[in-house]
Amino acid sequence: MKLTVLGLGCWGLVLTKLLTGNFDEVCGWSREQDLSEELVKFKRTTKPFNVQLNEKVKITSNLKEAIDGADIILLVVATSAIRAVCKQLKEAGIKDEQILVNASKGLEQGTLKRMSEVILDELPTQKIAVLSGPTLALEVLEGQPTAASVAANDSEIAKKVQKALNVPNKFRLYTNDDMIGVELGGSLKNVIAIAAGFIDEMKFGDNSKGALLARGMAEIVRVSVHLGANPSTLWGLSGMGDLIATCSSHLSRNNTVGRMLARGKKIDDILAELGSVAEGVKTSKAIVELAKKINIDTPISNAIYKAVYSKENSKEIFMNLMSRQLKAEENFVRQ
């Protein structure tokens, strides 16, 4: 079998290294301007952390060559580039029977669509699945065990991807038939993670963090269920599991954004310093627009949006959450 990984950023490189032993052939693709000489010649990179790939991994900027004969194609590019890459895949001759697995988390700006919807806009007959869960790249690179969800509308596709990408003792995969819930859980938790980073930097304590996770999850569930997700999905790996990991770890880029906002830094300077994508920044804008469109209350996401995009004082924005009108706590499992 052949695996192709499209996008050799942090997560793409880690997945390439992790999954190499599962496949006879492995190919990594990225735009020519994004490929370093070190990676092409020596299968090695030192930024943002050290990754040494197996010699059998082929690195290329030729998309047609990369996908030729691939059984599974992992899409690990920034969400803002997914539509463009799918257009390129069509031109490169991707075949319907090749399974395209999206591993990027976010919503498309403007259309507010999930990534699977964007993919099917451009490749309407493609076999697709999504991969999501608590998967901090550096921990996976170090071989620390985790688990994730593989979701597809077709159970046979999900099972095939599960079997192909499962790595014993390191990367345990579960199938799921709720693509909406898996995608939204993985996308919307990035916004809550920014708030978690802010709490960490302000040293508000574990009570504050616990309250944020609970109310953040309520917000995620409200939006996701309205859009067709099964609420139980959000308490699983791609929902609560990913939320806990991302909100608790300083390895998270979104958590880092929140901590830097608490220090008074501006978002443009923060992103320049990070040097990599923090999807929660753009997702905060998308979720505020989406929530307004479907008339769903998202106070935490609204606060993050203001903290990121306005000139208001970040501490005041967050403290205002505590003075909102009192209300009852939701019960999403009530029949």
Side-chain angles (χ1 to χ4, degrees):
M1 290 183 70
K2 178 180 176 179
L3 170 71
T4 294
V5 179
L6 305 181
L8 297 176
C10 300
W11 188 218
L13 283 167
V14 169
L15 282 173
T16 302
K17 181 177 177 64
L18 174 72
L19 300 171
T20 293
N22 288 19
F23 293 85
D24 303 306
E25 296 180 65
V26 179
C27 184
W29 172 89
S30 189
R31 298 182 305 170
E32 185 174 4
Q33 59 266 39
D34 294 333
L35 289 177
S36 67
E37 183 179 2
E38 182 183 38
L39 184 59
V40 174
K41 284 189 175 182
F42 304 107
K43 314 294 174 64
R44 181 178 69 240
T45 183
T46 55
K47 294 181 179 180
F49 34 67
N50 293 320
V51 180
Q52 177 66 61
L53 300 178
N54 190 286
E55 275 301 312
K56 80 176 183 182
V57 178
K58 183 173 184 178
I59 306 295
T60 182
S61 59
N62 184 318
L63 188 57
K64 185 177 181 63
E65 177 185 339
I67 66 172
D68 183 41
D71 299 278
I72 293 177
I73 301 170
L74 270 176
L75 192 56
V76 204
V77 299
T79 55
S80 59
I82 283 186
R83 188 176 292 276
V85 171
C86 285
K87 289 179 185 292
Q88 294 173 41
L89 282 169
K90 187 174 183 178
E91 294 173 0
I94 189 172
K95 295 178 172 57
D96 289 350
E97 63 268 21
Q98 293 177 294
I99 301 176
L100 188 58
V101 182
N102 178 56
S104 298
K105 304 171 182 177
L107 299 173
E108 186 177 47
Q109 300 296 302
T111 69
L112 309 179
K113 290 184 175 182
R114 293 175 285 111
M115 292 301 104
S116 66
E117 295 177 300
V118 174
I119 293 168
L120 290 175
D121 275 351
E122 303 300 331
L123 302 166
T125 57
Q126 198 68 44
K127 290 183 177 181
I128 66 168
V130 296
L131 175 67
S132 188
T135 51
L136 294 162
L138 184 57
E139 290 189 2
V140 176
L141 178 64
E142 292 173 344
Q144 297 181 35
T146 191
S149 297
V150 175
N153 292 331
D154 184 328
S155 62
E156 291 306 311
I157 291 175
K159 289 176 183 176
K160 185 171 182 179
V161 175
Q162 176 191 41
K163 183 177 179 180
L165 303 188
N166 188 77
V167 180
N169 303 318
K170 291 183 180 181
F171 199 56
R172 180 175 173 81
L173 299 180
Y174 292 79
T175 59
N176 196 310
D177 61 3
D178 181 15
M179 288 182 68
I180 297 173
V182 168
E183 286 186 284
L184 289 175
S187 300
L188 303 187
K189 58 83 188 176
N190 284 329
V191 182
I192 308 303
I194 295 176
F198 187 92
I199 283 177
D200 289 345
E201 189 67 23
M202 297 302 296
K203 302 187 186 308
F204 283 164
D206 292 335
N207 290 336
S208 296
K209 179 69 74 69
L212 173 72
L213 265 64
R215 297 311 303 158
M217 178 52 71
E219 199 163 298
I220 291 170
V221 173
R222 275 199 299 273
V223 173
S224 301
V225 169
H226 183 91
L227 294 173
N230 183 332
S232 65
T233 301
L234 283 309
W235 309 117
L237 289 165
S238 60
M240 182 59 80
D242 202 358
L243 181 71
I244 291 171
T246 310
C247 289
S248 302
S249 176
H250 287 188
L251 295 176
S252 161
R253 286 166 289 184
N254 295 289
N255 185 290
T256 301
V257 168
R259 286 184 281 116
M260 295 172 84
L261 281 172
R263 295 172 199 157
K265 293 189 176 184
K266 302 302 180 184
I267 194 62
D268 289 342
D269 296 330
I270 292 172
L271 296 179
E273 187 173 334
L274 277 180
S276 57
V277 176
E279 291 286 2
V281 173
K282 289 184 177 179
T283 303
S284 69
K285 183 175 187 295
I287 187 56
V288 167
E289 291 178 8
L290 180 60
K292 184 177 181 180
K293 181 179 178 180
I294 61 179
N295 195 29
I296 296 290
D297 192 26
T298 55
I300 297 174
S301 297
N302 292 350
I304 293 300
Y305 174 75
K306 283 184 181 180
V308 168
Y309 290 102
S310 79
K311 295 181 180 180
E312 295 182 40
N313 181 279
S314 295
K315 185 173 182 179
E316 290 181 8
I317 291 171
F318 281 96
M319 292 309 297
N320 285 340
L321 289 170
M322 295 294 291
S323 58
R324 296 172 62 245
Q325 183 177 354
L326 299 177
K327 57 179 288 189
E329 189 172 23
E330 304 93 332
N331 185 341
F332 292 103
V333 298
R334 181 182 295 147
Q335 297 300 316

